[in-house]
Every structure is written in structure tokens, then in C-alpha cells.
Amino acid sequence: MSSLEHFLFGIYPYIALSVFLLGSLLRFDREQYSWRSESSQMLSPGLLRWGSNLFHLGVLGLFFGHAVGMLTPKAVFHALGVTAAQKQMLAIGAGGVLGSLCLVGLLLLIVRRLGNERLRAVSRPMDYVVQFWLLATLLLGLSTLPLSVQHSDGATMLQLMGWAQSIVTFQGGSAGLLQGVSAVFKLHMFMGMTLFAIFPFSRLVHVWSGFASVGYVLRPYQLVRSRRLNLPREAAPAEAAPAAAAPSAPPLAPVGSRSVQGA
């Protein structure tokens, strides 16, 4: 194992996670007004509905699928009667479907950003970095599927699980657990870890807001601004009735005169 691999898969994961957590905390403390997704829906609503929904559905499914699949001890799967080969085939099927949905949605969002002049005018360099970094990470992940099919015994998957669990439990020698793993898997892992380091400096921080990612998928509706307003026309306010004339006061008697009262 080279010193570079020892750094990338034994030390760098902790650097990326530290930047992810501390950077998010500092940004929330110092730049709360930037803690939002900065929606561009009003500028270009065309491809946003399909692109955003497909992307979020795919990326959230991939995130939780990776978290559960990589961090669940293999003893739990064995207790459930799921073999390593069966788990790998399940991961290939689910990863292929969710990855494809995410890829289509992400491509729609990229085309939308690049093809709209008004949207390009308000885009920041980090917006392009995040989108193209996600695209490269996603393509690398999808490219691992044929390799996983060729090694359907689940041995590589068990290696990756052992590495991930050793990282989160702070065990030494984590990088050594990846001996013999294909470079495509390692590059995909590096891109994914770096995405965590980029996270605090991008619009992705809005995910922290109540961890809205789960609510995003389960929400019963999506707020979409429409150019057509089909609001009922309000009735004109009724004209105010003329105020009743106030009773006039009796005329004042001339100075020096005496008022006469009738009997």
C-alpha cells in the first residue's frame, strides 16, 4: 500500500468529515442569510420541476442506500438470512435505478443552467463546481456496476463495508482493507468524500434545515410559481351608504335677547 493510498483512505476521510461538520457550523453561525438553496425558479421554471424531483429522489435514495448498506454490520444481514451475494445484487439493482434517475435529473438541471442566459447571470462558480462534481461522482458510481456484476460473490462489497465501518469506529489500518479493490471504486470513493468537504461552501447547506431531504420526498405538493394567476376576481367593495345627516343644532339666540318658552 502506497503512502498516497494511506492518506486518501486512512486520513483524508476524517479531514473531509471535519470540514463538513465544522464548516457547516461556522457558516450557520456567521452567514445565516446565505443558509438557503437560493431557488432560481422565478428565472427559469421550465426544466426545474422534472430535473429537481428526479435528482432529489435519486440522490437521497443513493445517500441512504450507501449509508445503510455500508454501515450495517454484516452480522445483521446474516441474521436476516441475506447472503453477501444477494445483498450485492440488491445493491446493483437499486443503485442502477436510483443512479439513472439522479443522472437524468442532474443533466436536466445542468442543461437548464447552461442554456438560460438569466440563470447563468446569477450563477456562481461554486454552482458549476457542485453540479459537475456530482456528475463525475455519479458516472463513476454507475461505472462500478458492471464490475460488481462480474464479481457477484460480494467479496468486494464486504471489503468496502469493512473499510467504511472501520472509519466511523476510528479503527487503525482502514486503508489496508482496500487491498485489491479496483481503482474505479477508489476514485468514486475519493470523489464522494471530497463532496462532503465542498458541502459547507455551496448551496447544499440548505439540506441541514430540519434535514429537509426526507420531507422533500414525502411532501404532498411542490410550490411552483406560475406565470398565470387563476385567482378569483374580488368583488368591488360596496359603496358606502351616505351618512345620515346629523341633526342641526338650534339657532343661537341673539346676544341680549331672552328665550321664550311656550307654555
Side-chain angles (χ1 to χ4, degrees), residues 226-233:
S226 176
R227 296 179 180 177
R228 297 166 53 189
L229 296 178
N230 298 322
L231 299 178
R233 181 177 300 176

Side-chain angles (χ1 to χ4, degrees), residues 57-123:
L57 178 62
V59 76
L60 292 176
L62 290 173
F63 174 78
F64 288 108
H66 278 71
V68 174
M70 299 284 283
L71 300 179
T72 302
K74 60 182 180 180
V76 175
F77 292 106
H78 290 165
L80 296 174
V82 180
T83 65
Q86 292 172 338
K87 180 180 179 298
Q88 177 156 319
M89 294 308 298
L90 176 63
I92 292 172
V97 173
L98 293 171
S100 299
L101 292 177
C102 186
L103 178 61
V104 172
L106 182 57
L107 289 175
L108 289 176
L109 294 177
I110 292 176
V111 170
R112 172 178 174 268
R113 186 171 297 277
L114 295 177
N116 186 280
E117 183 178 356
R118 294 191 301 168
L119 194 53
R120 290 198 308 270
V122 299
S123 297

Side-chain angles (χ1 to χ4, degrees), residues 8-189:
L8 291 179
F9 302 107
I11 300 175
Y12 183 65
Y14 297 108
I15 296 176
L17 289 175
S18 298
V19 173
F20 170 70
L21 295 174
L22 295 178
S24 298
L25 181 61
L26 288 175
R27 180 168 177 181
F28 179 76
D29 182 62
R30 296 173 178 270
E31 301 179 21
Q32 292 187 15
Y33 289 104
S34 67
W35 195 272
R36 60 188 187 274
S37 63
E38 301 181 15
S39 175
S40 57
Q41 192 175 91
M42 293 185 65
L43 297 177
S44 176
L47 297 175
L48 181 62
R49 181 188 297 273
W50 281 103
S52 179
N53 282 326
L54 290 175
F55 171 74
H56 282 87
L57 178 62
V59 76
L60 292 176
L62 290 173
F63 174 78
F64 288 108
H66 278 71
V68 174
M70 299 284 283
L71 300 179
T72 302
K74 60 182 180 180
V76 175
F77 292 106
H78 290 165
L80 296 174
V82 180
T83 65
Q86 292 172 338
K87 180 180 179 298
Q88 177 156 319
M89 294 308 298
L90 176 63
I92 292 172
V97 173
L98 293 171
S100 299
L101 292 177
C102 186
L103 178 61
V104 172
L106 182 57
L107 289 175
L108 289 176
L109 294 177
I110 292 176
V111 170
R112 172 178 174 268
R113 186 171 297 277
L114 295 177
N116 186 280
E117 183 178 356
R118 294 191 301 168
L119 194 53
R120 290 198 308 270
V122 299
S123 297
R124 303 174 182 176
M126 183 56 71
D127 299 331
Y128 296 106
V129 170
V130 169
Q131 286 191 332
F132 284 101
W133 198 276
L134 282 168
L135 179 61
T137 305
L138 184 58
L139 291 175
L140 283 169
L142 291 173
S143 67
T144 64
L145 296 181
L147 297 176
S148 299
V149 172
Q150 294 176 7
H151 303 85
S152 58
D153 57 352
T156 300
M157 181 194 61
L158 292 177
Q159 284 183 271
L160 299 175
M161 289 174 58
W163 171 82
Q165 293 170 22
S166 68
I167 290 293
V168 298
T169 55
F170 301 98
Q171 298 180 15
S174 301
L177 299 175
L178 297 178
Q179 290 286 350
V181 174
S182 173
V184 178
F185 285 97
K186 294 180 179 180
L187 185 56
H188 174 63
M189 293 160 60

